[in-house]
Amino acid sequence: MRLIVTLLLLLFIAGGVILGALNADLVGYDLAFLHVQVPKGAALLAMLAIGWVLGGLTAWLGVTTRHRRERRRAAKAQSAKVSKTA
């Protein structure tokens, strides 16, 4: 399993290096308060990483809120069950 993960990691690193090498032109971004010029490959990889992190954060928050809501419902049901038996 570790070998497969290592090979996949090396494959993605090689893909990133190739993507960066093939897109070496500078692209300008004007963010109103900051003007940045970065290579196209770096901009693509940065946006990919930001999208990956934001997607993971969104999925994690969705799961944790759902679990929190389910725990709250289970605790209510448990307390109602205990109060009925007492």
Side-chain angles (χ1 to χ4, degrees), residues 1-13:
M1 187 66 177
R2 285 187 188 220
L3 178 64
I4 293 171
V5 170
T6 304
L7 289 174
L8 278 172
L9 182 63
L10 289 175
L11 178 71
F12 279 104
I13 289 172

Side-chain angles (χ1 to χ4, degrees), residues 13-31:
I13 289 172
V17 168
I18 292 170
L19 182 74
L22 292 176
N23 293 296
D25 317 352
L26 288 179
V27 177
Y29 293 100
D30 188 6
L31 304 173

Side-chain angles (χ1 to χ4, degrees), residues 66-80:
R66 182 171 48 98
H67 284 185
R68 195 176 307 128
R69 190 176 15 196
E70 288 173 359
R71 280 195 310 254
R72 219 179 299 128
R73 285 183 189 156
K76 258 188 204 177
Q78 183 69 21
S79 66

Side-chain angles (χ1 to χ4, degrees), residues 25-79:
D25 317 352
L26 288 179
V27 177
Y29 293 100
D30 188 6
L31 304 173
F33 54 88
L34 179 70
H35 183 72
V36 182
Q37 283 200 332
V38 294
K40 240 189 257 183
L44 286 169
L45 289 175
M47 293 305 117
L48 177 71
I50 289 170
W52 181 73
V53 168
L54 290 177
L57 183 65
T58 302
W60 178 74
L61 286 173
V63 168
T64 55
T65 31
R66 182 171 48 98
H67 284 185
R68 195 176 307 128
R69 190 176 15 196
E70 288 173 359
R71 280 195 310 254
R72 219 179 299 128
R73 285 183 189 156
K76 258 188 204 177
Q78 183 69 21
S79 66

